Amino acid sequence: MASRFIIAPCLTGIVILLVGLWSVKKHWAAAKGVNWLILIGPVCFAAPLALFGAEHIVSAQVIVEVVPRWMPWRFFWTYFVGLALIAAAVSIVLARLVRLSATLLSVMFFLFVAMVHAPRLLANPADRISWAVLLRDLSFAAGAWALAAAQSATKSRTGGSRALAWIPRVLIAVALVDFGIQHILHPEFAPGVPLFPLTPAWVPFAKLWGYLVGSVLFVAGSALLVNWKSRFWAACVGGVMIFLTLFLYLPMFATATANFTLGMNVVADTLLFGGAVMLLAMSTEGAMGPPASTSPGACI
């Protein structure tokens, strides 16, 4: 647990988290309803990015194996992605060049899908984990896309930007519907992003949580698909993911006796997914009013 492979990423993520919370605290008093939750969406998105960025740097010997073997300079790309993730996280919490960093971040996640996850899925299309990972990273890309769009509410409603505004919503909606179905079919797996971990035995009514979270994700995804109260439902999913991060995955990580890296990554994955969905809420017009505008201190 004291290894630099765990401590360095965790410390990097915590620093970005604290900086981000400090930058938005002055806006909390004015936030009402789900807007209070949406306000911390960029922070929840940025902190895991920083953690994963530091992990790329300190665990390059392991992560380089994910880089396609046909690519030259595989170690260079491992370190480059790590530094890019940290730079994007800093940009988001300091609200500097956010549109540029969010756009580039979205492109990078789309490249991950095209170069890493899609080939793996095509090799084994029946593997539910491959589907979950592909849809997860598409959601990360969509969240970054939504953040870039939210930097100018006026521009996002005009011309080509307006024509493409539905794409992040649909990408995240498809992921939510799929994740909801997976949790309903396999409630024994820990709720959130349906990957490897099983719900621990110390969780009361373990399968019930799978059914509950799966139902929320399915309903929210269906609402997003038809653009019904999208802002509200996206904020609800973000709140569910924050709850799971704090009260399920952090305790699982803290009580782990082995594979600490997996535990750390699951914590960051869940928070990052929740942040991505809240970024969608931040950029979405719906029954709850217009999207929040961007201000230098608030990052929304």
Side-chain angles (χ1 to χ4, degrees):
M1 193 66 175
S3 167
R4 74 180 191 276
F5 302 111
I6 300 297
I7 291 179
C10 287
L11 283 179
T12 306
I14 290 171
V15 168
I16 293 297
L17 178 67
L18 294 177
V19 171
L21 291 176
W22 178 264
S23 71
V24 301
K25 70 180 181 66
K26 60 186 176 184
H27 301 273
W28 284 341
K32 297 180 181 179
V34 297
N35 289 327
W36 187 92
L37 191 62
I38 294 171
L39 186 66
I40 63 172
V43 184
C44 294
F45 193 69
L49 289 179
L51 183 150
F52 285 133
E55 186 181 15
H56 274 69
I57 293 171
V58 299
S59 301
Q61 294 284 349
V62 175
I63 294 176
V64 72
E65 296 302 320
V66 180
V67 180
R69 294 192 174 275
W70 51 263
M71 290 185 65
W73 314 315
R74 293 168 70 224
F75 271 104
F76 166 79
W77 292 112
T78 303
Y79 288 117
F80 176 82
V81 167
L83 292 173
L85 291 173
I86 294 173
V90 172
S91 169
I92 291 169
V93 296
L94 297 183
R96 296 293 184 268
L97 301 174
V98 177
R99 185 183 298 172
L100 175 62
S101 63
T103 300
L104 294 175
L105 186 64
S106 181
V107 171
M108 186 169 71
F109 277 119
F110 277 123
L111 288 174
F112 290 167
V113 171
M115 299 169 64
V116 178
H117 305 314
R120 184 176 299 166
L121 178 63
L122 290 174
N124 188 7
D127 180 30
R128 73 168 191 88
I129 299 297
S130 296
W131 277 106
V133 171
L134 183 142
L135 291 172
R136 178 202 66 186
D137 275 30
L138 279 178
S139 298
F140 296 162
W145 184 335
L147 176 60
Q151 298 310 296
S152 175
T154 301
K155 184 176 181 180
S156 68
R157 298 190 193 107
T158 61
S161 297
R162 184 179 183 181
L164 298 177
W166 58 273
I167 296 178
R169 173 174 56 82
V170 170
L171 289 176
I172 289 177
V174 170
L176 290 176
V177 169
D178 178 83
F179 292 175
I181 292 173
Q182 288 203 43
H183 282 310
I184 292 171
L185 294 177
H186 307 284
E188 67 275 13
F189 288 96
V193 179
L195 297 176
F196 300 101
L198 296 172
T199 303
W202 51 262
V203 176
F205 311 110
K207 287 190 176 182
L208 178 61
W209 288 103
Y211 288 125
L212 287 175
V213 172
S215 299
V216 171
L217 297 185
F218 181 82
V219 171
S222 301
L224 287 176
L225 276 175
V226 298
N227 202 19
W228 178 66
K229 294 186 177 180
S230 295
R231 187 173 171 84
F232 170 77
W233 284 109
C236 286
V237 171
V240 168
M241 294 299 161
I242 292 175
F243 176 85
L244 293 173
T245 300
L246 294 176
F247 298 106
L248 177 61
Y249 289 113
L250 274 176
M252 286 173 61
F253 175 49
T255 58
T257 58
N259 208 342
F260 300 114
T261 300
L262 175 61
M264 176 184 70
N265 288 342
V266 171
V267 170
D269 251 356
T270 307
L271 188 60
L272 183 57
F273 184 76
V277 181
M278 285 191 286
L279 292 180
L280 176 67
M282 189 179 70
S283 69
T284 299
E285 283 189 282
M288 304 203 58
S293 61
T294 304
S295 61
C299 214
I300 73 167

